[in-house]
Amino acid sequence: MSTQQVICTGGSYDILIEGGALAAVGERVRSLECTHTLLIADAEVAETHAAVAADSLAAAGCSVAMHTLHAEEANKTMPAVESIWSAALSAGLDRSSCMVAVGGGLIGDVAGFAAASFLRGVDFVQVPTTLLSMVDASVGGKTGINVQLPSGELGKNLAGAFWQPRVVIADPITLSTLPLRERRCGLAEVIKHALIGDPDLLDVIEQNLDQILEAEPEVTTALIDRAVRVKIDIVQKDEREHGCRALLNLGHTFAHAIEPDADLGLKHGEAVSIGLMAAAALSERLGRLEGDWVPQLRALLEKAGLPVRLEAARLSEDLVARMRFDKKIQSGSHRLIIPIAPGQVEITDDVPEKALLEAWNAVIG
Ligand code: GLY
């Protein structure tokens, strides 16, 4: 079991990581003095993990209504937010009520945005049930939805709000029912955190890979605890991403260019894995890479069952064009995060398009 505290201007809160923690959701929410709750659950876990959380809320004396969503990027839009607001009104939620998200990062993002805007903001609790969400999305208060681009495609997370949860409750036992592919995806974010701020964690992953992929509770709890520390440290220094929080986007600007391409069929963590390799290639092209650690990173990602190349033919020019819609772009110039060495990453402004093209070419085919 581990409890860590996040101290932010937008609210300070605990992150509880413990096998069986789902059953403690009611007690924790009750201690926030919330009596009316709306539980927003991924439809996939509505009858399992969300039902346990709902029973726990009811046992603690909270009224609880459940609203389910299908966790698909196409649903991460305004109609989903409106459906949550309507469910909240039907359930009689008022300003002292609480919304509780049970599911992965997508559910937490949409539910968090609905909580941030309903009655100008109600309490919000994150109950992440994916590795990706436990180590990243559920912590730090980023909420949001996708918005249609001029091209007709969906631009990821282009509308949203910073809205810190009142508590994050992660139960690593929920990971045992998560498909293996999703566990691998979560590992991509853990590897990202290791590269950003905990290089020794790369060795820990390497040595415990089988147990991690099997979701062995003790090993997984320790892994989440360590990966989340990297995120807490950064979020506390820069809650609203005016500076170092952008480091957490390592690999993501590349990933966001390939993730919406339905023909590629990449999940977020898989796109991030390719994005990490592209970011390393960019670092090399810019003459910033130090040491010979990239082959080890590639081997670890591959061993974890993650893609390190874009198998399908894509033009690097098209991918660079897509990067222009990423919200991390600064005044029309490309701002990217590049790894220098494990544990050392930096923000690079005005990245020339030529270097970006070369970075993409290094991971295509
Ligand atoms: N997932 C990146 C961040 O929370 O800033």
Side-chain angles (χ1 to χ4, degrees):
M1 172 192 164
S2 127
T3 306
Q4 300 188 48
Q5 216 198 4
V6 187
I7 301 170
C8 285
T9 322
S12 299
Y13 51 97
D14 286 345
I15 300 174
L16 178 68
I17 309 163
E18 186 180 14
L22 267 186
V25 170
E27 192 189 310
R28 295 296 297 218
V29 169
R30 200 74 175 91
S31 73
L32 303 174
E33 297 185 352
C34 289
T35 48
H36 285 57
T37 63
L38 177 68
L39 207 151
I40 300 123
D42 180 341
E44 283 285 319
V45 299
E47 285 171 19
T48 51
H49 308 323
V52 176
D55 287 350
S56 156
L57 284 162
C62 298
S63 77
V64 49
M66 198 186 307
H67 181 70
T68 58
L69 292 174
H70 290 280
E72 290 159 17
E73 287 295 327
N75 285 345
K76 194 181 174 184
T77 49
M78 263 325 272
V81 176
E82 285 170 11
S83 74
I84 296 172
W85 291 336
S86 299
L89 290 170
S90 300
L93 261 67
D94 60 19
R95 279 191 159 161
S96 61
S97 304
C98 179
M99 292 191 188
V100 182
V102 183
L106 189 148
I107 299 296
D109 279 6
V110 182
F113 187 42
S117 43
F118 183 68
L119 304 178
R120 298 204 177 87
V122 295
D123 280 350
F124 176 51
V125 170
Q126 288 267 24
V127 184
T129 59
T130 65
L131 180 58
L132 194 149
S133 182
M134 286 179 191
V135 299
D136 190 8
S138 66
V139 177
K142 274 192 184 175
T143 72
I145 55 171
N146 301 330
V147 177
Q148 197 174 330
L149 295 171
S151 64
E153 286 173 299
L154 282 179
K156 266 186 78 87
N157 304 331
L158 292 181
F162 285 98
W163 193 247
Q164 299 293 342
R166 294 292 312 277
V167 61
V168 178
I169 302 165
D171 183 343
I173 292 174
T174 61
L175 301 180
S176 58
T177 55
L178 194 67
L180 177 61
R181 188 174 173 193
E182 295 290 348
R183 278 183 239 152
R184 296 188 198 280
C185 283
L187 205 45
E189 296 285 0
V190 176
I191 291 171
K192 179 199 80 174
H193 284 191
L195 283 173
I196 293 170
D198 187 353
D200 293 345
L201 185 54
L202 293 169
D203 296 332
V204 174
I205 298 168
E206 172 101 53
Q207 284 152 19
N208 297 281
L209 193 55
D210 290 343
Q211 286 155 297
I212 293 168
L213 291 176
E214 280 161 20
E216 196 283 314
E218 224 167 283
V219 173
T220 317
T221 301
L223 181 84
I224 299 165
D225 176 72
R226 212 154 147 176
V228 99
R229 275 174 205 274
V230 174
K231 175 130 192 191
I232 294 172
D233 186 43
I234 290 182
V235 164
Q236 289 186 153
K237 286 183 191 139
D238 179 24
E239 188 177 337
R240 294 221 159 204
E241 201 168 309
H242 297 305
C244 68
R245 183 160 180 171
L247 297 176
L248 291 167
N249 300 323
L250 177 65
H252 279 62
T253 306
F254 288 102
H256 288 168
I258 50 178
E259 204 181 332
D261 186 333
D263 293 340
L264 294 175
L266 291 170
K267 289 187 170 286
H268 179 67
E270 293 164 344
V272 167
S273 176
I274 295 169
L276 292 176
M277 292 309 297
L282 178 63
S283 180
E284 195 202 343
R285 296 305 183 278
L286 296 174
R288 302 289 301 131
L289 199 67
E290 286 175 13
D292 186 27
W293 53 273
V294 177
Q296 261 167 296
L297 171 68
R298 183 184 297 111
L300 181 60
L301 291 167
E302 282 183 319
K303 212 167 146 195
L306 288 159
V308 291
R309 307 183 70 75
L310 206 51
E311 301 289 346
R314 288 290 178 276
L315 288 176
S316 47
E317 287 80 2
D318 292 345
L319 297 173
V320 171
R322 282 176 184 222
M323 291 168 97
R324 291 199 189 101
F325 287 110
D326 195 90
K327 62 188 176 309
K328 278 98 198 173
I329 206 151
Q330 289 273 311
S331 321
S333 80
H334 288 284
R335 157 177 278 205
L336 272 293
I337 314 305
I338 54 167
I340 311 300
Q344 196 192 340
V345 285
E346 69 179 30
I347 303 170
T348 312
D349 284 312
D350 301 322
V351 176
E353 290 220 348
K354 185 170 177 291
L356 285 176
L357 293 168
E358 287 171 3
W360 274 120
N361 284 331
V363 297
I364 293 176

